[in-house]
Amino acid sequence: MIIVYSILGLFAFIFILIMLISSIVVVRGTSIAVLERKWFGKPMPQGRVIASKKEVGVQARTLGPGLHMLTPFIYKAVKFPFTIISEVEVGIIESIDGGAIPPGKIFARVAENHDSFQDGEAFLANQGEKGPQLEILPPGNYRINPILFKVKKVPCTVINKGEIGLLTAMDGEPIPTGRLLAQNIFGISIFENGELFLKNHGQKGPQAQILLPGTYRINTDLIKVEKYPATVIPTGKVGLVTARDGEPLPETEYVAKSITGHNNFQDIELFLKNGGQRGPQLDVLKPGTYYINPLMFNVELDDV
């Protein structure tokens, strides 16, 4: 009998040890654990692929660094490293779960209180939508569920000295009939905030505004940026300017009237607001460097 009790005690000890080991998850300091609930839970709603608490499936929530106790055999934990965005990068997000993006929209609405996509449950509970997100991740370390959110790291947009950045928005309101470029919505920093760009009636298509030399954190899935050299008029030359947009020239005129306030054709909005006309311009550019949008103004060099 003593031997039988000893064997039973040994089995009991082994069982308790297995239960204890299977219930402990240790997450190191630069990792997270993604949980999958395998049994004893509610089924996910139709169309969902990421589970909320008490639902069977891969969980939206994650475990941060530390020692965690789980119900044995119910959960499976898989560890992933932090999402790290360096000082010269931004993170562009796509959610694989959430509500449907409304027809006619390309990007998901901005959900609230998800802590930079680190709280997947809050993202889903606050009507986060499936698909490309407007918000971006600035430099930092993030505890993001990589099963729920796909993070694409892209370099910051850097416009060097002697360059300009031409902008094209992939979403927004339509450009008004008769206009060549999107209307100025004031403030270059608005292009670094996709939600603000759309809320301020930013227009889809090529933009009148340009990026001047500097570093910008832009969602390049929403705002495409192309680099072009600035307009340089060397000594002994002048720049002959032709406008591609503006009021039509009178039938009897071959050269547009001279207007003021457009800062040597560097401010498209004021050029149009002050009655700038389409076609060859009376005003010329003197020697110097100009940050001019070549989609609006064509500049040719001529001798003084």
Side-chain angles (χ1 to χ4, degrees):
M1 289 295 293
I2 296 175
I3 296 175
V4 172
Y5 286 134
S6 298
I7 293 173
L8 290 175
L10 179 60
F11 277 122
F13 174 76
I14 293 173
F15 177 76
I16 292 172
L17 185 61
I18 291 173
M19 292 283 287
L20 185 62
I21 291 173
S22 64
S23 68
I24 295 176
V25 176
V26 179
V27 182
R28 298 188 180 278
T30 58
S31 301
I32 60 170
V34 175
L35 300 176
E36 180 184 2
R37 184 167 185 145
K38 305 179 74 67
W39 317 101
F40 307 115
K42 299 184 297 183
M44 281 186 285
Q46 185 70 25
R48 287 278 299 278
V49 295
I50 300 295
S52 295
K53 205 169 184 178
K54 298 183 180 179
E55 294 176 348
V56 174
V58 176
Q59 303 290 296
R61 67 188 177 99
T62 61
L63 301 179
L67 180 67
H68 304 272
M69 299 292 292
L70 301 175
T71 305
F73 307 114
I74 301 296
Y75 291 99
K76 175 185 176 183
V78 180
K79 298 172 186 176
F80 293 91
F82 282 1
T83 298
I84 300 174
I85 308 298
S86 74
E87 288 294 327
V88 295
E89 295 177 322
V90 295
I92 296 177
I93 311 294
E94 180 179 359
S95 174
I96 70 160
D97 204 354
I101 296 176
K105 296 291 185 181
I106 299 175
F107 290 84
R109 62 179 290 275
V110 175
E112 297 180 352
N113 302 321
H114 54 69
D115 190 21
S116 297
F117 302 99
Q118 296 177 106
D119 190 337
E121 284 191 322
F123 175 86
L124 297 176
N126 289 314
Q127 287 77 52
E129 294 174 347
K130 178 180 179 180
Q133 305 294 306
L134 287 171
E135 294 175 277
I136 60 174
L137 296 177
N141 296 346
Y142 299 91
R143 301 174 184 177
I144 291 177
N145 186 335
I147 308 300
L148 174 56
F149 299 111
K150 303 300 181 185
V151 181
K152 178 175 66 174
K153 301 177 185 180
V154 300
C156 292
T157 299
V158 178
I159 307 300
N160 297 311
K161 185 178 180 181
E163 293 181 331
I164 61 171
L166 298 189
L167 307 168
T168 303
M170 309 310 293
D171 200 359
E173 299 180 3
I175 295 175
T177 302
R179 279 291 300 260
L180 177 66
L181 303 175
Q183 291 177 343
N184 193 323
I185 52 176
F186 302 106
I188 290 299
S189 61
I190 204 168
F191 292 108
E192 298 183 285
N193 187 325
E195 181 186 21
L196 196 59
F197 173 80
L198 296 179
K199 278 186 176 180
N200 281 273
H201 310 291
Q203 296 171 351
K204 182 178 180 180
Q207 304 293 302
Q209 290 169 280
I210 60 175
L211 295 182
L212 301 177
T215 299
Y216 304 89
R217 296 191 175 110
I218 291 176
N219 184 337
T220 51
D221 283 358
L222 172 63
I223 307 291
K224 301 294 183 184
V225 182
E226 295 181 87
K227 298 180 184 181
Y228 280 79
T231 299
V232 177
I233 310 299
T235 302
K237 299 285 185 179
V238 293
L240 305 182
V241 180
T242 301
R244 294 189 169 100
D245 198 1
E247 296 181 4
L249 279 174
E251 291 184 2
T252 57
E253 300 292 336
Y254 296 97
V255 178
K257 64 181 180 181
S258 177
I259 61 171
T260 60
H262 52 70
N263 189 22
N264 289 310
F265 304 101
Q266 295 176 107
D267 192 324
I268 294 176
E269 202 65 25
L270 282 179
F271 174 84
L272 296 174
K273 183 179 179 181
N274 293 337
Q277 296 174 330
R278 184 184 310 121
Q281 302 296 302
L282 179 62
D283 298 315
V284 298
L285 296 175
K286 298 177 182 179
T289 298
Y290 301 91
Y291 296 103
I292 292 174
N293 189 331
L295 299 178
M296 174 65 179
F297 299 108
N298 180 60
V299 181
E300 295 183 357
L301 297 178
D302 197 5
D303 294 326
V304 173

